[in-house]
Amino acid sequence: MLGNDNQTFYKQIFKLVAPIVIQNLLSAAVSSVDVVMLNYVGQSSISAVSLASQYANILFMVFYGLGTGATMLSAQYFGKGDMKAIQVIEGIALRFSLSIAFLFACLALFVPQPMMQLFTNDRELITIGASYLRFMSVSYLCWGITEVYLAILRSTGKVVVSTAMNVLAFSLNILLNGVFIFGLFGAPKLGAMGVALATSISRLIELMACFGVSFFSKDIKLDFRYMFVGNRALFSDFLRLSLPALGNDISWGVAFSMYSVIMGHMGTDAVAANSFVSVVRSFGTVLCFGTASAGGIWLGNIIGMNKLEEAKDGAKKVMKLTVITGVIGGLIIVGAMPVVLRYATLTEQAMHYLKYMMLINSYHVLGAAVNTTLIAGLFRAGGDSRFGFVCDTVDMWCYAVPLGFFAAFVLKLPVLWVYFLLCTDEFAKWPWVLKHYRSMKWLNNITRDDLFEEGL
């Protein structure tokens, strides 16, 4: 089915990478459109939305962790040809994602101000951010469903369909951003709240589109009845694989949000500059992160066929691609600097921060590319999610976050020095990550035989 020569490998990887990169580009485009449009509303709106969006970032990490658990199992069972197991896995993931989405939606709807106070003590930012979170609550629920379903589609090779759903949502989001931020076509002029309303509407339509795809699909259905199908063996495997992945992504996501807490207490100039940098960085990582996702899917399918030697050879090729795409990502950030610095309408101090933050990210992206490919791509494809959890938790909570707080609030270093120290996080864990990769202990076939016999 899948060849082991170079030409076949790169052809198969490209078929997976291309739609994932398009999807990631559109995701980055939505974030950039938010910042660009809010740039004309005011710096306070940019800063407030940037801080409030940290909750969506945390939620994304939760969904990504659950989706990863589903993908780890589904990709290998797809290689094995067991579609019934994949349906049960989808139901298990939906149980968790809907529960967490409901919790976040309730918090955003009923207690948005305390949520904002965790990130800033600026009253204006708290007021704007609280309104933003209320409008976002609906999108969290829709997202909890679509993220799991699209993860299952990607793991079974249907990346084009998954990407089409995201293209629909992102395109609508960009269009509706303009409508509700500026009050086009007779719509109310909502400013920062318009961003949240546009996101919620586009997520709702994306969910409806997923139901449409499910209706015509012959094998992968979005059916809530799967949530009530029990299988002890699969549930045990899902927990064993997903909980470390979920813990990994939550631990990393919350820790990364602490970077925003640190920046948020160093002034609105630092927050605004960081908002622009986040957008530019997302464009710089689309290719390398797409390679990581595609490599993980491909590797999971190969391992499910029990072709472990071919999987080892393929993993080495994915790593080479990652280094190349990481360098390209850094060059993209450097190339974007003149455009960003020309059109950003920030204060003089914020512009100074922005310039050097982008330079720091031009090499930081390579560290992130390698770690993401290994921890979230190859290791998880081989059924190893525990190493990433331990590695990222120690790196972020015992090194990066304490270092950032100490530098900012004890040593009281300048903003750029604090930011530089925070961006050493990815390189600090390279020795352990690369050592684990070379050991090949992460490469395992995690599928089971006779799943639906004897009440398993």
Side-chain angles (χ1 to χ4, degrees), residues 161-219:
V161 177
S162 173
T163 299
M165 295 298 98
N166 285 136
V167 167
L168 172 66
F170 295 149
S171 300
L172 279 172
N173 202 339
I174 292 172
L175 174 64
L176 294 175
N177 269 342
V179 172
F180 292 116
I181 291 174
F182 302 114
L184 304 179
F185 309 116
K189 187 176 181 180
L190 299 174
M193 289 179 287
V195 175
L197 182 58
T199 301
S200 291
I201 293 174
S202 60
R203 287 289 180 190
L204 182 60
I205 293 174
E206 181 186 31
L207 177 58
M208 294 169 63
C210 285
F211 279 114
V213 169
S214 171
F215 181 78
F216 292 102
S217 177
K218 295 180 180 179
D219 42 28

Side-chain angles (χ1 to χ4, degrees), residues 371 374-375 379 387 391 429-437:
N371 289 325
L374 291 176
I375 293 175
F379 294 171
F387 174 84
C391 182
K429 59 188 176 188
W430 262 20
W432 293 273
V433 174
L434 292 173
K435 180 181 179 181
H436 189 64
Y437 163 70

